[in-house]
Amino acid sequence: MGLVTDNERNLRKYLDQGAGAVVTKTIHPNPPKGNREKVISIPTGWLNSTTYSQRSVSEWMDILRRLAEEAKPVMASIHADSPEQLGRLAEEVAATGCESLELGISCLNED
């Protein structure tokens, strides 16, 4: 969620500390720029209504490939501007060996 899962170091940190799995910050081929994080703490964890990762798709594919090679339980959160683009992104993620997807088909951050 948010900046917590926007990099490989943090994903690994949570997995090493016993998380059953982690979900990446949402990967988007053309993320809007200048958006702010919206994360609030609640007694059972965090609520996250945040924007997209500013990392490139290719950076994420490298990260997901490394984690998949080590059989790390990662769910890639993805969103795109069209169903076709989302399908292509899902195919790219699957090709890394990442076995789980969270599809952004309804997003509060989009009009």
Side-chain angles (χ1 to χ4, degrees):
M1 31 177 126
L3 296 174
V4 172
T5 57
D6 197 31
N7 67 61
E8 183 174 356
R9 179 185 45 123
N10 284 348
L11 294 171
R12 288 180 179 282
K13 175 181 166 184
Y14 292 112
L15 290 167
D16 290 346
Q17 291 180 356
V22 292
V23 180
T24 68
K25 184 168 172 100
T26 303
I27 303 164
H28 192 295
N30 305 301
K33 303 293 183 201
N35 290 322
R36 295 173 18 113
E37 300 295 323
K38 300 171 207 103
V39 179
I40 59 171
S41 178
I42 60 173
T44 56
W46 290 337
L47 290 178
N48 177 26
S49 174
T50 189
T51 55
Y52 310 106
S53 175
Q54 297 300 306
R55 294 182 184 285
S56 70
V57 169
S58 65
E59 285 179 280
W60 272 112
M61 295 310 111
D62 290 342
I63 291 168
L64 293 173
R65 192 171 292 106
R66 284 191 294 272
L67 294 168
E69 286 170 356
E70 298 173 33
K72 299 288 187 185
V74 175
M75 178 180 289
S77 175
I78 62 172
H79 186 69
D81 295 328
S82 70
E84 296 78 20
Q85 192 179 53
L86 185 62
R88 286 190 301 274
L89 183 55
E91 288 175 346
E92 283 186 69
V93 169
T96 69
C98 181
E99 296 181 349
S100 251
L101 289 175
E102 174 187 73
L103 300 178
I105 56 176
S106 174
C107 183
L108 298 175
N109 295 315
E110 296 288 335
D111 293 333

